[in-house]
Amino acid sequence: MSLSQSECLWGWEAGIWEMRSQNFLLQWNLVCEDDWKAPLTTSLFFVGVLIGSFISGQLSDRFGRKNILFLTMGVQTGFSFLQIFSTSWEMFTVLFLIVGMGQISNYVVAFILGTEILGKSVRILFSTLGVCIFFAIGYMLLPLFAYFIRDWRMLLLALTVPGLFCVPLWWIIPESPRWLISQGRYKEAEAIIQKAAKMNGIPAPAVLFDTAEMQDSKPQQQQKAILLDLFRTRNIATITIMSLLLWFFTSIGYFGLSLSTPDWHGNAYVNCFLSAVIEVPAYVIAWLLLRSLPRRYSLSGTLFLGGSVVLFIQLVPAELNVLSVGLVMLGKFGITAAFSMLYVYNVELYPTLVRNMAVGATSTASRLGSIIAPYFVYLGAYDRFLPYILMGSLTVLIGILTLFLPESFGNPLPESFEQMLKVKCFRNEQQTTGIRSSKESPKSLITPL
C-alpha cells in the first residue's frame, strides 16, 4: 500500500522524522484495540532520547569526547540497521528506544567536541551555521526521501546507510585538548595543539605546558565531576535551574510548533519542507547575533519575538489561514533562532570539568519538553487557540527569565568553578575573573574535515 494512501504520524527529534505508513501499522496489527501501540512507539523513542541526554554528558566527561562520540554513532547506525529486520512490534520498539539513546548522545558530544577544539570566532560559526544549517538540510531532505521511498523498511535503510561514511572520521577528528588537559594528559594535548598550529601555519613553542603550570592544574584534573557539582554553590545551582527551565520551555515551543505542521492546510510533504526551510534564516540570524551582541539580549529578544507572534494567532480571523500559517512560521523562526543559541550560551557558562555534563543535563530538560509538546498540540482538539496561547505565554515568560542569567559575551571559556560568572539577581554583580592569558587555548584548531 502506498504512503500517499496511508495515515502518517509525524514526529521530529534532532533530525529524526518518523513516518509510519499504513502497511507498517497493519503489519503488526497496530489498529483497533491495539492502536495505542503506535503513539507509544514514538513516546519510547523520546524516552531513549531522554536517557541518552542524561548519560552522554557524564560518559564523555569521564571517558573522553571522541570515544563516546564514535561509540554512540555506532549504536545509532547499528541498531537502526537492525530495525529493518524487526519481526515484531516489540522488537522494533526496543530497538527504536536504543536508537534514540545513541542519536541524541552523538549529537550532544559532537557539539561539545567541536566547541572545545575550535577557537572563539570559529566556535560560534560551528555552533550555529555549521551544526544547525546541516541539521536544516537534513530536515529538508527527509520529506524528499519519504516521498520517493514508500516502503518503511527501505526508507529506514536509506536513512541508516550514511552513518557508515562517518567511520573514516576516526582518523581525522582529534580528542578535545581541553578535556585532555583537565585529565592531566598534557603530552597528548600538546601534540594535538602542535599539529593544529602546523596545519594553520602558526609557529608554536616547543613546550606549551611548563612544570609550574602543570602543578597548578593538577588539583583540578584530579577531581572527578558528578551531577551534584552542577548544584555545588548557590550561584551554580541558580544558573543550572534557570538553564533547565530555559531549555524546557524553549523545547516545548519548538517541538509544539513543529508537531503542528501536519495540521496546516495543503500538502503534508510541502508543509514539512517549509517548516525546515524557515530554520535556515533563523540560524543565520542567530549566528549574526552571537557574533556582535550580548547573549542574554539576543536570546531574550528572539524568545520574545517567537512567543508574542504565536500569541497573536488567536486574533487572526478563521478565514485568513495564510496569515495564521505565516505567524506560525515567524514564531518558529524566533524560537528556532533562540534554540540554536542555547547550545553556545550553555557551553560558555560552565567550566571544562562539567561542561559536557551540564549540556547533557539541560538537554535532558529539553527532551522532557519534547515529550510534553505533543500534549500541547492535542489541546487544540478542545480549543483551536489554546496550544498557541500556552506556548506563546511560556516562551515570553522564559524570555524574561533569561535576562537574569550572567553575560558570557567576550569572556573566555571558564576552566574552573571559580571562573563562572554570577547571575544578575545576586547583590555582587558578575565575577570578571578571567582565565590567565598563559592558559588560553589557541585561537583555532582546524582539522581537515
Side-chain angles (χ1 to χ4, degrees):
M1 184 172 294
S2 66
L3 188 60
S4 60
Q5 298 172 318
S6 66
E7 173 187 1
C8 295
L9 303 175
W10 301 69
W12 288 264
E13 180 54 42
I16 296 296
W17 177 36
E18 181 194 353
M19 296 187 64
R20 294 189 207 87
S21 61
Q22 205 170 52
N23 59 5
F24 175 90
L25 297 174
L26 293 176
Q27 180 173 354
W28 293 315
N29 196 32
L30 306 187
V31 293
C32 299
E33 68 275 5
D34 288 330
D35 59 356
W36 57 271
K37 292 182 178 180
L40 179 61
T41 304
T42 304
S43 297
L44 289 177
F45 171 79
F46 287 135
V47 170
V49 169
L50 178 64
I51 297 172
S53 299
F54 182 75
I55 66 174
S56 61
Q58 300 180 63
L59 289 176
S60 66
D61 282 338
R62 184 172 294 271
F63 300 107
R65 313 321 195 200
K66 181 178 178 179
N67 292 332
I68 301 303
L69 170 62
F70 283 90
L71 174 63
T72 53
M73 286 173 61
V75 168
Q76 178 186 352
T77 303
F79 283 90
S80 294
F81 184 74
L82 289 177
Q83 276 188 292
I84 300 172
F85 306 98
S86 298
T87 57
S88 66
W89 170 77
E90 289 79 6
M91 178 181 176
F92 181 92
T93 303
V94 170
L95 293 173
F96 205 28
L97 184 147
I98 299 174
V99 169
M101 292 174 58
Q103 178 267 323
I104 190 61
S105 295
N106 68 60
Y107 183 85
V108 171
V109 177
F111 178 83
I112 293 294
L113 178 59
T115 55
E116 291 186 341
I117 289 178
L118 301 172
K120 182 181 176 181
S121 59
V122 184
R123 182 170 67 244
I124 294 175
L125 182 64
F126 165 80
S127 303
T128 52
L129 297 188
V131 173
C132 297
I133 289 295
F134 280 93
F135 169 88
I137 292 174
Y139 194 166
M140 287 185 281
L141 288 176
L142 284 169
L144 181 65
F145 272 63
Y147 182 81
F148 289 103
I149 304 177
R150 303 306 179 98
D151 179 74
W152 71 269
R153 293 183 189 271
M154 294 306 298
L155 176 60
L156 187 56
L157 178 62
L159 298 177
T160 300
V161 169
L164 298 177
F165 296 110
C166 296
V167 174
L169 296 179
W170 173 266
W171 292 274
I172 300 176
I173 298 177
E175 180 57 271
S176 165
R178 289 179 180 270
W179 180 81
L180 291 171
I181 293 171
S182 72
Q183 302 298 306
R185 296 162 61 176
Y186 301 101
K187 290 186 178 180
E188 296 175 60
E190 187 174 283
I192 293 174
I193 296 173
Q194 294 280 8
K195 181 179 179 180
K198 182 178 180 181
M199 293 174 59
N200 291 334
I202 300 174
V207 179
L208 294 176
F209 306 108
D210 57 29
T211 305
E213 184 177 11
M214 293 170 65
Q215 292 299 324
D216 290 342
S217 302
K218 196 171 183 179
Q220 177 184 344
Q221 64 90 9
Q222 287 179 340
Q223 298 177 10
K224 295 297 182 181
I226 59 175
L227 188 62
L228 291 178
D229 284 330
L230 299 179
F231 303 90
R232 64 187 302 175
T233 66
R234 179 188 172 196
N235 180 61
I236 297 172
T238 303
I239 292 175
T240 299
I241 293 172
M242 293 172 69
S243 297
L244 291 173
L245 292 174
L246 178 59
W247 281 70
F248 178 74
F249 289 123
T250 305
S251 181
I252 288 178
Y254 176 82
F255 287 103
L257 293 178
S258 295
L259 290 168
S260 67
T261 303
D263 298 330
W264 301 352
H265 294 278
N267 185 277
Y269 295 96
V270 175
N271 290 341
C272 180
F273 179 78
L274 293 176
S275 181
V277 168
I278 196 63
E279 298 200 359
V280 175
Y283 296 139
V284 174
I285 291 297
W287 172 61
L288 294 175
L289 291 174
L290 288 171
R291 286 188 60 188
S292 54
L293 295 178
R295 309 292 191 241
R296 292 182 302 126
Y297 299 128
S298 298
L299 263 174
S300 182
T302 51
L303 288 170
F304 265 100
L305 171 65
S308 58
V309 166
V310 171
L311 281 173
F312 283 141
I313 293 176
Q314 60 182 313
L315 304 178
V316 178
E319 62 272 12
L320 298 179
N321 292 320
V322 175
L323 180 57
S324 295
V325 171
L327 289 176
V328 173
M329 297 287 283
L330 184 58
K332 190 182 180 188
F333 168 86
I335 296 176
T336 298
F339 214 161
S340 67
M341 288 189 284
L342 278 180
Y343 285 94
V344 177
Y345 191 35
N346 211 184
V347 162
E348 294 176 344
L349 289 178
Y350 289 92
T352 303
L353 191 64
V354 295
R355 184 172 295 123
N356 211 149
M357 187 183 300
V359 174
T362 52
S363 183
T364 300
S366 174
R367 300 320 126 198
L368 290 173
S370 67
I371 293 173
I372 294 175
Y375 295 96
F376 276 71
V377 178
Y378 179 73
L379 291 174
Y382 299 95
D383 187 296
R384 176 190 171 195
F385 300 112
L386 185 57
Y388 300 107
I389 293 173
L390 291 175
M391 288 187 290
S393 300
L394 291 175
T395 302
V396 170
L397 176 63
I398 201 61
I400 297 174
L401 183 64
T402 302
L403 295 174
F404 293 95
L405 283 168
E407 182 54 64
S408 62
F409 181 64
N411 291 298
L413 290 178
E415 298 289 353
S416 65
F417 288 105
E418 291 73 19
Q419 292 167 349
M420 288 184 66
L421 304 175
K422 292 193 175 292
V423 293
K424 296 300 178 182
C425 55
F426 285 5
R427 287 185 179 180
N428 48 335
E429 289 295 318
Q430 71 178 36
Q431 186 175 328
T432 57
T433 304
I435 302 173
R436 293 183 300 173
S437 58
S438 61
K439 290 189 178 183
E440 288 183 357
S441 58
K443 184 176 181 181
S444 64
L445 302 179
I446 303 177
T447 55
L449 296 181

